[in-house]
Amino acid sequence: MLRKTMPFSVAPLPAAIRRSLVVSLGGMLSVAPLAALAQEETINTGTTVVTATALKVDTPEVETPRAISTVSAEELETRGVNKYDETFQYRSGVVSQPYGDDNNTDWFFLRGFSAESATYQDGLRLFRTGGYFWWMNETFGLERVDLLKGPASILYGEAPPGGVINAISKRPTSEPQGTLEIEAGNQQHRQVGIDVSGPVAERDDMRYRMVGLYRDGEGELNGSEKERYYFAPSLAVDFSDDTTVTFLASVQREEGVPTAGFFPAYGTLYDTPFGKIDRNTNFGEPGYDKIDQQQASLGYELEHRINDTWEIQQNLRYSYLDLYLRSVYAFPSNDSRSLGRGIVLQDGEYDAYTVDNRLVARQYGENFENTFLMGVDYQKLDLEYANGDSFSFGGIDAFEPSYGNYTPVSSTSLTDHNVDKRQIGIYVQDQFRLNDRWIFLTGARHDSVESSDETATTQQSVDDEQLSLSAGVMYLGDNGLSPYVSYSESFTPLASSDASGDAYEPLEGEQLEVGVKYTPVGFDGYLTVAAFDLKESNSLITTDSGPQRQIGERTSSGLEVEGVGYLTDNLQLTASYTYTDTRIDVSESQQDERVPLVPFHMASAWLDYDMSSSLPGLSVGAGVRYIGETSPSPGSGINRDVPSTTLYDAMASYDINDNWTAQVNVNNITDEEYVSGCDYYCYYGASRSVIGSVKYRW
């Protein structure tokens, strides 16, 4: 098997090589679409990866004064990742699946903050709004996933402080290729995927790709299940030597019975006279609960090279999502086996438009390089839905649940919502490289945000303007050590008002990060270390007088260590360690409380061993994940921490011949039954997963 290349160079690129790389890429439009390269595509030169997720212009990750993690499609395939929130389980700074294995939502915490509004695809926002209208990503359709850690409003506008996750869609290739994959596993898992790409009618100026998938399987809870259909065609066209457009589309539908893994502390975290609640227990109504979600997108990426200095880039996408969700859940309890229940019903759809326009200028001098970026982006969301919340749906016994004791939700009890959101941002950024040693980064952005949520009797609205700044400096050492320091900001609007009727100010995040990126000379790999201090101000807290006031803070500080490298020609190690201390002000009397679901310590290691030298075609891998103890929500009444846990994963892959490969993946080998975390509820982590696959490539 061919040795994999690492996502960082073994030494900083000399100016002449970097310049020739950029210039030569300008003449490669007939080979690879520059629109994709400039925004989302990976450029490999030896072991160097150039990506634009962090700075929106082609930049080697080793020369970016920010912490970045990248997971390739090859790694997703090796680890058998079929769910988006499993992507970063072997990377630092990320809590994956804090609410357990939820079959209708992907959950991440980044540096102690929820990533609910931090998801992007191909550089454009994926809207997850209205509480339940969440765009779902299919990992089979991705080339890689990038994570930019910390505030990112300078380039992406409204964003949470923890970071931005950017999924990169599979693109057309200049060489014909194809993959047919069949999977089967426990929990009735079944999957068929096909991925075909190549030139259109043997033309050099037009390429296509078609990715399709069908997946079916049971969820973690008894009676839950999900069926997914996915199709993503794309087409790249070189209209001239200077202009390329890549068209990207996707259609996805999923339906089944959702998991509602809300468990009481009584019987999960607490021992009881009745024993433990089984992790597969369903407190919903399997015969009544339902999810039916359809989503589609259509867009393009354009790049036009004006001359050797100037480029114009534009990304545009239209997205549509239709959701019907009916989900019953149990209320939390710390001391009783009798649980009350409620139901959430959401029925609606949204249309979203996003466009990002960029003007890039690259200048070169004898001792310097300068890359100037100026951009304007626009986001528009229209969401209409009916919402129903019943808090007296009917009780259930936590240890001997029986179903059918409920009254269906009446359509007359639903509340109609009309959500309208507009955001326009203007940004500038400058990267200055001096003497092939120093990198200076500065940027500023101005956003205007208008948002409203109207019902027949209420209206919540936001009309804000925000200025975001960023700066960084990095030194590229001859020995491969590249220390850096950076500052960045974020903001998140609040669509509500205080006791006086005045709109709340946006939540504002700011971060100071100090780190070092190490790419040893002669070693195929990298090591990054980042220490950060992150604060979000204007948080809402409960006061003694009743109405919430905007005088709180949420802070997060920590240390992240991450590395990937070949210990030998055949043995690759991926390892990470994370320390995170996240605190929040809850009320005037509860200050600086530890947030739930975020452990102080996490660590992981994965080894890939290519055994072809002794056993041709065989590769094996094994991993270990440590998740430290976490605390429940302040005021929840849960008076103990959630214990730490250690999980083990493994895989084996065998190349039968040049075309056929068989693979087995096992996650949570020991079938450890553990609580992944508690806030007011508690959540069980994913049980053992065993999946076998057969792939045919041509």
Side-chain angles (χ1 to χ4, degrees):
M1 296 180 66
L2 292 176
R3 178 172 172 170
K4 307 179 186 72
T5 58
M6 295 298 97
F8 289 99
S9 61
V10 296
L13 291 174
I17 296 178
R18 296 178 79 256
R19 182 174 181 180
S20 64
L21 173 63
V22 174
V23 173
S24 64
L25 286 172
M28 291 172 59
L29 289 170
S30 62
V31 179
L34 266 184
L37 294 176
Q39 176 60 35
E40 309 297 352
E41 192 77 10
T42 302
I43 304 170
N44 288 288
T45 303
T47 54
T48 300
V49 166
V50 181
T51 182
T53 293
L55 301 177
K56 283 196 177 178
V57 290
D58 305 351
T59 306
E61 291 186 4
V62 71
E63 299 180 7
T64 304
R66 292 288 300 274
I68 310 167
S69 293
T70 296
V71 177
S72 66
E74 183 179 28
E75 182 177 342
L76 294 174
E77 181 179 321
T78 297
R79 292 199 284 111
V81 174
N82 283 328
K83 197 165 185 302
Y84 193 50
D85 55 12
E86 299 172 344
T87 301
F88 295 108
Q89 288 180 334
Y90 286 89
R91 293 298 187 273
S92 63
V94 183
V95 179
S96 298
Q97 299 185 334
Y99 302 106
D101 189 1
D102 188 342
N103 74 348
N104 63 303
T105 312
D106 298 315
W107 293 103
F108 302 91
F109 275 77
L110 309 177
R111 290 190 167 176
F113 290 82
S114 173
E116 181 174 343
S117 57
T119 52
Y120 284 71
Q121 187 154 352
D122 303 321
L124 299 175
R125 181 184 298 278
L126 296 174
F127 286 96
R128 296 184 167 188
T129 188
Y132 300 90
F133 291 82
W134 285 54
W135 189 274
M136 298 292 289
N137 290 89
E138 173 50 55
T139 56
F140 188 74
L142 303 180
E143 289 191 352
R144 75 176 193 277
V145 187
D146 294 339
L147 167 60
L148 173 61
K149 301 174 186 178
S153 287
I154 171 61
L155 295 178
Y156 293 98
E158 174 192 346
V164 166
I165 300 172
N166 188 23
I168 314 303
S169 303
K170 287 181 175 177
R171 311 302 175 90
T173 61
S174 56
E175 296 295 328
Q177 66 179 43
T179 300
L180 174 65
E181 177 183 271
I182 300 174
E183 289 187 358
N186 65 334
Q187 296 182 328
Q188 300 297 312
H189 174 82
R190 298 173 297 169
Q191 178 174 308
V192 178
I194 187 166
D195 178 4
V196 183
S197 181
V200 175
E202 300 183 353
R203 295 176 56 172
D204 293 335
D205 60 351
M206 188 177 296
R207 301 161 297 281
Y208 80 97
R209 192 160 190 167
M210 291 189 295
V211 182
L213 174 133
Y214 168 79
R215 180 186 297 126
D216 186 24
E218 297 176 347
E220 284 286 326
L221 305 185
N222 295 329
S224 62
E225 60 181 354
K226 176 67 77 67
E227 189 176 33
R228 174 178 289 183
Y229 303 86
Y230 172 79
F231 178 60
S234 57
L235 180 69
V237 182
D238 303 329
F239 289 98
S240 71
D241 289 344
D242 297 318
T243 306
T244 293
V245 178
T246 301
F247 300 94
L248 299 164
S250 70
V251 178
Q252 184 170 311
R253 179 171 184 178
E254 40 202 303
E255 53 185 337
V257 179
T259 59
F262 300 91
F263 287 84
Y266 188 76
T268 55
L269 193 62
Y270 292 159
D271 293 326
T272 76
F274 316 104
K276 288 281 191 178
I277 298 174
D278 188 274
R279 63 184 169 189
N280 303 124
T281 303
N282 192 338
F283 295 136
E285 286 288 337
Y288 180 68
D289 293 343
K290 178 181 180 180
I291 183 171
D292 187 348
Q293 179 167 319
Q294 303 174 55
Q295 60 187 51
S297 68
L298 177 63
Y300 66 82
E301 296 178 350
L302 175 148
E303 176 159 309
H304 173 68
R305 186 181 60 164
I306 301 172
N307 52 41
D308 289 343
T309 301
W310 292 94
E311 297 174 8
I312 296 175
Q313 303 166 1
Q314 183 184 70
N315 291 23
L316 181 145
R317 182 171 63 226
Y318 164 75
S319 304
Y320 170 81
L321 187 147
D322 183 284
L323 171 70
Y324 183 85
L325 173 67
R326 195 168 60 209
S327 183
V328 178
Y329 62 94
F331 298 143
S333 174
N334 299 336
D335 56 11
S336 173
R337 65 181 292 166
S338 297
L339 306 176
R341 291 191 300 173
I343 183 173
V344 168
L345 194 152
Q346 303 276 322
D347 184 8
E349 61 184 14
Y350 77 56
D351 296 277
Y353 300 86
T354 53
V355 60
D356 186 15
N357 307 281
R358 302 178 300 280
L359 185 63
V360 182
R362 296 180 176 87
Q363 297 175 301
Y364 303 90
E366 184 176 351
N367 297 314
F368 75 91
E369 301 174 30
N370 192 72
T371 302
F372 175 75
L373 168 70
M374 180 171 62
V376 178
D377 63 23
Y378 176 70
Q379 304 172 16
K380 177 179 181 291
L381 171 71
D382 293 306
L383 167 63
E384 295 184 357
Y385 70 99
N387 170 61
D389 290 294
S390 171
F391 302 111
S392 56
F393 190 75
I396 197 167
D397 189 306
F399 296 89
E400 296 181 3
S402 61
Y403 306 110
N405 180 30
Y406 68 91
T407 302
V409 175
S410 170
S411 59
T412 59
S413 65
L414 302 182
T415 301
D416 292 325
H417 291 256
N418 190 337
V419 178
D420 181 81
K421 185 174 184 178
R422 307 287 187 272
Q423 178 177 323
I424 185 168
I426 302 173
Y427 56 91
V428 292
Q429 177 183 269
D430 192 74
Q431 302 173 61
F432 186 76
R433 180 186 177 100
L434 180 64
N435 292 328
D436 229 14
R437 284 290 174 265
W438 291 95
I439 295 175
F440 301 93
L441 176 68
T442 57
R445 176 186 176 108
H446 181 272
D447 280 285
S448 297
V449 182
E450 295 181 3
S451 178
S452 64
D453 183 352
E454 297 183 9
T455 69
T457 58
T458 65
Q459 178 176 353
Q460 295 181 331
S461 62
V462 169
D463 188 355
D464 280 315
E465 295 187 358
Q466 192 74 19
L467 177 67
S468 303
L469 303 174
S470 71
V473 60
M474 189 176 205
Y475 178 77
L476 306 177
D478 285 332
N479 58 0
L481 281 171
S482 300
Y484 69 89
V485 60
S486 65
Y487 172 82
S488 55
E489 296 180 344
S490 67
F491 76 97
T492 306
L494 297 175
S496 54
S497 56
D498 60 21
S500 302
D502 298 324
Y504 287 123
E505 295 293 323
L507 301 175
E508 296 181 353
E510 57 180 358
Q511 173 187 269
L512 181 65
E513 178 177 305
V514 178
V516 61
K517 299 185 179 183
Y518 184 39
T519 54
V521 177
F523 177 73
D524 193 358
Y526 73 90
L527 175 69
T528 64
V529 180
F532 64 90
D533 186 56
L534 178 56
K535 179 179 72 173
E536 183 181 66
S537 57
N538 294 338
S539 299
L540 301 180
I541 69 170
T542 302
T543 65
D544 296 336
S545 58
Q548 289 185 311
R549 295 179 60 196
Q550 200 168 25
I551 57 175
E553 282 187 352
R554 183 180 179 122
T555 61
S556 185
S557 58
L559 176 71
E560 298 164 352
V561 182
E562 182 177 310
V564 180
Y566 275 89
L567 306 181
T568 70
D569 286 345
N570 300 317
L571 184 63
Q572 182 193 24
L573 171 66
T574 301
S576 72
Y577 167 75
T578 303
Y579 170 78
T580 310
D581 184 6
T582 308
R583 308 276 176 168
I584 190 170
D585 296 338
V586 180
S587 66
E588 291 180 321
S589 59
Q590 290 180 293
Q591 302 281 307
D592 201 36
E593 297 279 357
R594 187 179 173 191
V595 303
L597 306 171
V598 179
F600 282 133
H601 303 280
M602 294 187 296
S604 66
W606 177 278
L607 279 170
D608 280 308
Y609 183 44
D610 182 356
M611 304 180 67
S612 296
S613 57
S614 56
L615 296 171
L618 181 63
S619 297
V620 295
V624 57
R625 293 178 279 136
Y626 171 79
I627 305 168
E629 68 175 27
T630 61
S631 295
S633 290
S636 65
I638 302 175
N639 58 11
R640 65 179 64 177
D641 288 339
V642 179
S644 62
T645 189
T646 302
L647 306 172
Y648 303 92
D649 309 319
M651 65 79 63
S653 175
Y654 179 65
D655 294 333
I656 301 170
N657 55 37
D658 290 341
N659 302 107
W660 289 94
T661 300
Q663 183 170 316
V664 176
N665 288 86
V666 184
N667 288 344
N668 190 3
I669 294 173
T670 61
D671 201 22
E672 180 76 13
E673 185 172 304
Y674 67 101
V675 176
S676 62
C678 297
D679 42 27
Y680 286 85
Y681 294 92
C682 290
Y683 310 92
Y684 275 120
S687 61
R688 178 168 51 213
S689 167
V690 182
I691 296 177
S693 66
V694 177
K695 302 180 183 68
Y696 177 74
R697 293 185 174 89
W698 67 92

